[in-house]
Amino acid sequence: MTRGLLFRQVDVDGELVDVHVVGATIDAVAPSLPGVGDPIVVDGHGRALIPGLHDHHMHLLATAAARASVRVGPPQVRDQRSLAAALRRADRALAPEAWLRAIGYHESVAGDLDRTALDRLVPHRPVRLQHRSGARWVLNSAAIDAIQLEKIHRPELERDPTGGLTGRLHRADAWLRALLPRQGPPDLAPIGRELARYGVTGVTDATPYRDADELEPLAAAVATGALPQRVVATGGPELAGTQPPAGLEWGPVKIIIDDGGYPSLDSLGDQIATAHRHDRNAAIHCVTRTALVLALAAWDAVGSRPGDRIEHGSVIPPELRADLARRHLTVVTQPGFIAERGDEYLRDVEPDDLPHLYPCRSLLDDGIPVAGSTDAPYSDANPWRAIAAATARTTRSGAVLGAAEAIPPGRALELFTGDPHEPGGPPRRVAPGAPADLCLLAVPLHEALAGSTDARAVCVTRRGGLISAWGGA
């Protein structure tokens, strides 16, 4: 029989209480509880016990792979000289036959790179470099030759006027991965441990997988406990009517609207209808006004249903908020981008869009459900930094961006405590009968919410009978 777990004198919603957990469920919450059945006792010493956080949009395999990659974008790399230094440093550290994988690139560093630019920096080793959006890879000539890419003709491969490859590949992750030297899936255990330290007990992997086999590494990591988190997966429309691998749950169907490569209205409507036909919601990637308008038109054509989602909602002007509310759409956003990229937005984004970047307060005021996420690895995987960003709306330099969209700290926390299948809905609570997805903070809740310190290590995270202890719990 599984032993119970008794949290003694923890702060729950401002009250010092004991919390008794049996199996995967909270059994009792009271000012004082007896230790019936020889439970494992965790002394809270007045620290906050809160529902485990759920990151409603991230990419687990890409986050794991990023840990073994060199970062070549701001703030680590800001100009061509530092880009060259970073790539050459990584080149020297690799075995002769290894590929060099670089991530996080932005055009502000050294312009719009192609194979020729990469050849000048690292000519002898295969290099693949990812744009920080995650949508584009750039390969040097050694990489193109190694996988014989010149022989392949696909729309994702950009070619110059003479028909030669530029080295730029757009939305080509799945089939490009199949061409690369086999290395096996990245180790997900470090990501699982890191997320547990942040108090993350669940994630929604928002990768638009086209093949169920691509999800097997996630299922295996959940089965072994390498990922102690609850994992909800999206997948693309190709998987809408399939069963998820054991240990995973289906969330909405992920649908991509790309900048500059917009699908037809009929195609987009068909993808939404496919999701609905299989009793699943649609989650549409929207990072521009144009993409959002197109998504709304497609929902008008085929109908929306409560729980359909706008992923990112990078730009949502006031004139479109009523349309979102009328269609009962949810916005899953990433306020952390304001803190990480806000200075670049202030420099590069159209002035008319700046007040409406990654909005929160205006949507909530109009009754639109909003949920929080990190979009890791394209932003920091630490949700507490995203929570602080939603509150402060400050950039790295200290500038304020979209002050009117700031929300109170407690409300920012609730962006990450909604039910994974109802993001933006009522926050989960530490209450009898609730799932025991919990985390005990090592700092007071107000300190964690302020984002002024990194001392937010979670002492205990419990989900489904699994306990992970940190820092003297």
Side-chain angles (χ1 to χ4, degrees):
M1 179 180 296
T2 302
R3 294 172 66 187
L5 178 64
L6 181 62
F7 293 93
R8 286 210 180 279
Q9 293 304 281
V10 290
D11 181 350
V12 175
D13 296 330
E15 301 288 337
L16 282 182
V17 295
D18 292 352
V19 177
H20 186 226
V21 171
V22 176
T25 305
I26 298 172
D27 176 62
V29 178
S32 179
L33 291 170
V36 176
D38 187 30
I40 299 169
V41 177
V42 178
D43 289 319
H45 302 294
R47 293 173 292 186
L49 183 70
I50 64 173
L53 306 186
H54 190 93
D55 190 330
H56 293 281
H57 180 125
M58 70 171 300
H59 307 271
L60 286 163
L61 289 172
T63 302
R67 299 303 194 262
S69 305
V70 57
R71 293 191 174 273
V72 292
Q76 296 89 351
V77 172
R78 293 190 176 276
D79 54 32
Q80 188 163 6
R81 178 177 295 180
S82 56
L83 171 65
L87 290 175
R88 289 166 182 163
R89 189 164 52 245
D91 175 36
R92 291 193 297 269
L94 289 172
E97 70 280 1
W99 282 56
L100 193 162
R101 185 181 194 271
I103 61 171
Y105 183 77
H106 185 258
E107 293 83 357
S108 61
V109 173
D112 196 6
L113 295 180
D114 59 13
R115 67 188 292 180
T116 303
L118 284 184
D119 288 347
R120 287 195 292 266
L121 299 174
V122 185
H124 60 280
R125 176 193 300 280
V127 175
R128 58 183 178 121
L129 178 148
Q130 188 183 45
H131 189 269
R132 75 175 184 183
S133 66
R136 175 189 288 180
W137 287 97
V138 183
L139 275 59
N140 70 349
S141 294
I144 289 170
D145 292 343
I147 58 176
Q148 300 181 18
L149 210 56
E150 292 281 9
K151 298 179 180 180
I152 298 175
H153 293 271
R154 295 182 61 106
E156 297 94 335
L157 294 170
E158 182 182 287
R159 294 183 178 271
D160 62 27
T162 69
L165 292 176
T166 66
R168 302 186 188 110
L169 291 73
H170 192 72
R171 293 284 180 198
D173 289 55
W175 66 264
L176 175 61
R177 193 180 305 119
L179 297 175
L180 297 174
R182 291 191 177 275
Q183 298 180 359
D187 183 6
L188 289 162
I191 300 302
R193 292 192 295 268
E194 178 182 342
L195 293 175
R197 287 196 296 271
Y198 299 147
V200 175
T201 58
V203 302
T204 295
D205 188 297
T207 308
Y209 296 108
R210 296 180 177 181
D211 189 319
D213 289 345
E214 297 178 79
L215 289 158
E216 287 302 330
L218 300 183
V222 170
T224 63
L227 278 177
Q229 288 76 25
R230 177 183 186 180
V231 177
V232 178
T234 59
E238 298 84 353
L239 299 180
T242 66
Q243 290 297 313
L248 307 184
E249 306 169 33
W250 277 145
V253 172
K254 179 73 174 290
I255 299 170
I256 299 291
I257 298 180
D258 268 332
D259 266 343
Y262 299 117
S264 69
L265 186 60
D266 287 345
S267 171
L268 187 56
D270 287 345
Q271 293 178 77
I272 296 172
T274 295
H276 292 174
R277 188 165 60 250
H278 294 287
D279 197 28
R280 293 176 61 188
N281 290 318
I284 302 185
H285 168 103
C286 292
V287 296
T288 64
R289 286 186 187 228
T290 303
L292 180 56
V293 169
L294 180 58
L296 292 173
W299 267 309
D300 270 349
V302 301
S304 61
R305 57 181 244 168
D308 280 353
R309 297 164 39 158
I310 293 166
E311 304 298 302
H312 308 296
S314 308
V315 182
I316 303 180
E319 63 268 21
L320 295 181
R321 293 201 299 263
D323 293 328
L324 271 64
R326 176 169 56 83
R327 295 172 179 83
H328 305 288
L329 300 175
T330 295
V331 175
V332 177
T333 190
Q334 295 91 34
F337 281 131
I338 295 296
E340 294 185 29
R341 304 181 182 179
D343 292 319
E344 296 160 48
Y345 295 154
L346 287 169
R347 182 187 66 228
D348 300 334
V349 170
E350 291 290 335
D352 287 348
D353 284 343
L354 282 174
H356 315 306
L357 293 177
Y358 297 99
C360 285
R361 180 181 287 276
S362 63
L363 301 179
L364 294 169
D365 287 348
D366 283 357
I368 299 165
V370 180
S373 60
T374 66
D375 198 22
Y378 310 111
S379 180
D380 194 316
N382 186 342
W384 294 102
R385 293 178 181 169
I387 290 166
T391 299
R393 303 285 300 193
T394 54
T395 71
R396 290 185 188 275
S397 70
V400 177
L401 178 52
E405 295 296 345
I407 55 178
R411 187 66 187 88
L413 174 62
E414 290 177 351
L415 299 179
F416 288 87
T417 58
D419 186 286
H421 293 293
E422 192 183 355
R428 291 171 287 117
R429 299 295 183 193
V430 179
D437 289 351
L438 303 168
C439 64
L440 180 64
L441 300 181
V443 296
L445 180 57
H446 70 85
E447 189 175 321
L449 292 174
S452 59
T453 174
D454 283 334
R456 309 185 198 88
V458 173
C459 293
V460 175
T461 299
R462 179 180 179 91
R463 180 188 167 269
L466 177 66
I467 302 172
S468 300
W470 311 91

